[in-house]
Amino acid sequence: MILNSLRAENFRNIISEELLPSGGTNILIGQNGQGKTNLIEAIWMLTGAKSFRSYKNSELIRFGEETAKISSTFYSEGREQSLEVAVTQKERTATLNMVKKQQCSEIIGKICAVVFSPEHMALVSEGASERRRFIDCAVCQMKPSFIRTIAEYSKSLSHRNALLKEIQNGRSYGDLLSIWDERLSLFGAEIAVVRRQYTEALAKRAEDIYSRLSSGSEKLEVSYSCSFSKAEERDVLRTDFMQKLLAGREADIAKGHTAAGVHRDDIALSLDEKPARFYASQGQKRSCVISLKLAEAEQMASVIGEKPIILLDDVMSELDNSRQQFLLSNVTDCQVFITCCDFESVSGFKDGSVFEIAGGEVRKRMT
């Protein structure tokens, strides 16, 4: 999977710039605030996913403008294709191979990428929602149909929570909860199965990568933690979830929200048998995230049959020299975009292109 061209218009601080990257390594050099991360973010938006930096469309659009556009040509599935994503205050739209899609989510899986940015340190440092989002986003790129499963679960959860509040206020009856219990257990069991299977595959790769990254001095363990059952079979999970919902019904009515479900699940990360969130240093946490991201790329390639695009934003910070060198030598044979403030920190990359970013403008450095 190769991005052949990228054009960004009115995207953050970029007025109108075109990037013609190498099929291998692409280094984006510039001081802070000049637009390096904006280019990484623009490429990520082509996956159909939301920005990894902002939940507001307005923050993606250059001040004073109404629409931001990101267009590209890329090689995938044995042919060159085109893709454009447009962002307005209200929505994101996409056009794939000159055909406009009804929803931007319809292009997920067309351009696959794995991104690391400082924001992703939240995978280790913050709560379970960040880790659930990481797993779900990774699975959706490989299995776009999973998007619908998550959406149906979220919709059912919202309806059940709304009904709980109505019952709490005497405006409805508890018997109606059975409808949403059925739907929650149906979609929840499917989500739990998919998440567990993916996490088990990811764990083997991530644990091996971390071992090599730390020269065997530290041990990372990754596991899926289902909040309502230890079962692995879909039917058993569904039954267990139903029983959990029934047992907690009165408490849910009293609180006005659903306590049990896959929206409470977590991915446990431990380092040398201690929770990484509380005991790992900043460098170790960064190593955990890098291991998860490299494992995600490996797992994605094994499923889709193509290596995803790797996006690394400020990845070298807080890594010692040996870990930097490991990273440089293990992101190969695929298209890579990496940002830095100076070329020295990534001089170990061989072959490729170097671009200088200043004030939102891109200039290729001649070597």
Side-chain angles (χ1 to χ4, degrees):
M1 190 165 294
I2 300 293
L3 188 70
N4 292 326
S5 68
L6 173 76
R7 174 169 286 279
E9 300 176 53
N10 297 322
F11 185 78
R12 293 205 181 258
N13 74 330
I14 301 171
I15 299 175
S16 180
E17 291 293 324
E18 184 176 40
L19 184 71
L20 300 175
S22 159
T25 302
N26 297 276
I27 300 171
L28 310 179
I29 302 174
Q31 296 302 307
N32 294 332
Q34 298 305 302
K36 304 186 303 296
T37 302
N38 295 346
L39 286 171
I40 294 290
E41 183 181 26
I43 297 171
W44 175 252
M45 297 292 290
L46 294 171
T47 66
K50 295 181 180 179
S51 167
F52 57 84
R53 301 167 71 195
S54 173
Y55 290 103
K56 296 181 179 179
N57 285 347
S58 59
E59 295 177 357
L60 305 176
I61 305 170
R62 189 168 179 270
F63 183 76
E65 301 293 335
E66 295 182 355
T67 305
K69 290 184 179 180
I70 306 157
S71 55
S72 71
T73 58
F74 66 100
Y75 188 84
S76 179
E77 300 176 326
R79 63 193 176 102
E80 184 165 86
Q81 304 184 59
S82 64
L83 177 63
E84 179 182 279
V85 172
V87 183
T88 66
Q89 299 281 348
K90 295 182 179 180
E91 63 178 353
R92 292 177 299 133
T93 58
T95 302
L96 176 66
N97 298 324
M98 308 299 290
V99 177
K100 188 169 183 178
K101 300 297 181 180
Q102 292 184 338
Q103 297 179 335
C104 201
S105 60
E106 291 181 47
I107 65 170
I108 291 178
K110 295 301 179 180
I111 292 182
C112 294
V114 172
V115 60
F116 171 92
S117 77
E119 284 81 1
H120 290 108
M121 292 296 290
L123 281 177
V124 181
S125 301
E126 301 299 328
S129 61
E130 296 290 339
R131 293 179 284 280
R132 289 194 300 270
R133 189 177 299 114
F134 162 64
I135 295 294
D136 291 345
C137 184
V139 171
C140 286
Q141 288 198 76
M142 299 182 295
K143 186 181 179 182
S145 61
F146 192 55
I147 299 169
R148 180 182 175 275
T149 305
I150 294 173
E152 290 293 342
Y153 180 87
S154 297
K155 184 164 62 176
S156 300
L157 181 63
S158 295
H159 281 300
R160 189 178 193 272
N161 286 342
L163 181 57
L164 287 170
K165 290 183 174 64
E166 290 185 3
I167 296 170
Q168 187 184 67
N169 294 322
R171 296 196 299 267
S172 191
Y173 299 96
D175 292 345
L176 296 176
L177 285 170
S178 298
I179 299 172
W180 299 113
D181 288 357
E182 286 281 351
R183 291 185 64 80
L184 271 184
S185 61
L186 172 66
F187 296 113
E190 176 64 21
I191 290 170
V193 167
V194 173
R195 282 179 178 172
R196 185 185 296 279
Q197 290 175 344
Y198 177 78
T199 303
E200 288 176 353
L202 183 80
K204 295 177 182 178
R205 298 180 186 276
E207 290 166 6
D208 175 65
I209 290 169
Y210 193 97
S211 178
R212 290 184 285 127
L213 182 61
S214 66
S215 299
S217 63
E218 299 160 5
K219 183 181 179 181
L220 171 67
E221 292 181 287
V222 182
S223 61
Y224 181 61
S225 177
C226 182
S227 59
F228 58 86
S229 176
K230 294 183 178 180
E232 297 184 8
E233 298 80 11
R234 185 179 285 100
D235 291 342
V236 179
L237 281 163
R238 186 176 180 182
T239 299
D240 289 351
F241 193 4
M242 278 289 292
Q243 291 176 348
K244 193 81 171 181
L245 290 170
L246 287 171
R249 180 172 289 188
E250 293 303 318
D252 286 352
I253 292 172
K255 295 177 181 178
H257 67 264
T258 305
V262 292
H263 58 289
R264 301 291 187 189
D265 293 356
D266 198 0
I267 291 82
L269 303 174
S270 63
L271 202 58
D272 293 335
E273 301 183 347
K274 296 178 181 178
R277 181 182 179 185
F278 302 111
Y279 294 98
S281 68
Q282 283 301 106
Q284 288 173 323
K285 288 179 180 178
R286 183 169 289 253
S287 296
C288 287
V289 178
I290 289 171
S291 298
L292 289 170
K293 291 292 182 176
L294 294 182
E296 177 189 356
E298 288 185 3
Q299 182 65 14
M300 193 177 296
S302 72
V303 173
I304 68 174
E306 296 183 78
K307 291 191 175 183
I309 299 167
I310 307 294
L311 308 173
L312 303 174
D313 181 35
D314 190 27
V315 72
M316 296 299 187
S317 299
E318 298 171 337
L319 293 180
D320 58 37
N321 185 64
S322 66
R323 298 190 186 209
Q324 288 183 3
Q325 292 306 310
F326 173 87
L327 182 61
L328 293 174
S329 62
N330 280 270
V331 186
T332 56
D333 299 325
C334 61
Q335 190 176 41
V336 182
F337 294 82
I338 181 168
T339 71
C340 58
C341 293
D342 61 88
F343 184 71
E344 294 303 317
S345 61
V346 291
S347 58
F349 273 116
K350 306 298 182 183
D351 302 323
S353 299
V354 180
F355 299 90
E356 295 178 338
I357 320 297
E361 296 182 354
V362 182
R363 180 171 64 88
K364 186 173 183 178
R365 176 189 281 189
M366 304 305 294
T367 56

